[in-house]
Amino acid sequence: MIPKRPFLVSVLLMVIFAMNAQTLTREDYVEKFAPIAIREMQRYGIPASITLAQGILESSNGNSYLARVANNHFGIKCHDWTGPSVHRDDDMRNECFRKYKEPVESFEDHSKFLTSRERYRFLFELKVTDYKGWARGLKKAGYATDPQYANRLIKIIEDNELFLYDRGVKVEFTEDEVISTRKTRKQEPVDNFVIKPFSSHQIYSNNKVNYVKVRPGDSFQSISQEFNLRDWELYKYNDLPEDAYLTSGQVVYIQPKRNRSKNYEFHVAKEDESMREISQRYGIRLRSLYKKNNMDKGTQPQPGQRIYLKHHKPSK
């Protein structure tokens, strides 16, 4: 069957666009993405120099296939990803890589990738200015298979003086400029730059929902900032009023809870045990728990009562 002319025209236009696409220099890349790398450093404590060097290396200064087609600057593969994706030969044929709407999403996902995996936790005990320790630590943790990966990162950082961004660089930009990443403004070193390092909360999982345990000094605001959430999201995820307070050891979910339990059919209520406590124990939304058990919102279970977690309460 002969393809229709509009299809051929579309293909031709795509080829012409690809041939005429402007190639970024390394200087272009640093100027364009340094504000985002600095912002991620302030949020998570990952050195901006490391983020930029990894982006430069993994994306060939933003010119790689994955960077241009999928806005993926760090070669992050799909794993548990449920969003858009592209396939590309890598260590194996036709591997799945994450696809983003904007490059800034790739930088944000890179930060979340490092801060959500236990094997990288030791890196956040290093100083944010210790780019050599970070580079070697990434290699040690298995971020890349290249035996020269750490040395290549260090060379990129030193050749381009990216370490200056770790010491404190004030970058003036608007939020629109960060999101679009179309331009940056004048950059100048400052002495009073404040890093908000990743506070190394260990992430646990219950019913396939991630949570942390409250430590002394934690607040809703500090936990929200650590995991790039809004305060109201934590209240909602944990079925809490906005005047709630935190206590040491308390479980705080950093993702929405599930509508049902994966492993448990029911729970036998204990004396003075509330529906919210059961909800938190099994990682199930409170409203779903009420609905499954045909209970009015706000009522509490009786001691010995079966609270169904997976399916609705059986009809008599």
Side-chain angles (χ1 to χ4, degrees), residues 36 39 102-105 174-182:
I36 299 174
R39 188 184 67 175
E102 292 277 355
V104 65
E105 295 179 359
T174 67
E175 187 66 21
D176 288 340
E177 287 172 338
V178 172
I179 293 174
S180 67
T181 66
R182 291 175 182 170

Side-chain angles (χ1 to χ4, degrees), residues 269-287:
K270 301 175 183 177
E271 188 173 358
D272 296 325
E273 189 174 32
S274 69
M275 289 292 281
R276 183 188 170 275
E277 288 173 332
I278 299 171
S279 165
Q280 291 292 99
R281 177 172 178 174
Y282 293 98
I284 304 173
R285 289 184 175 94
L286 183 57
R287 68 173 182 271

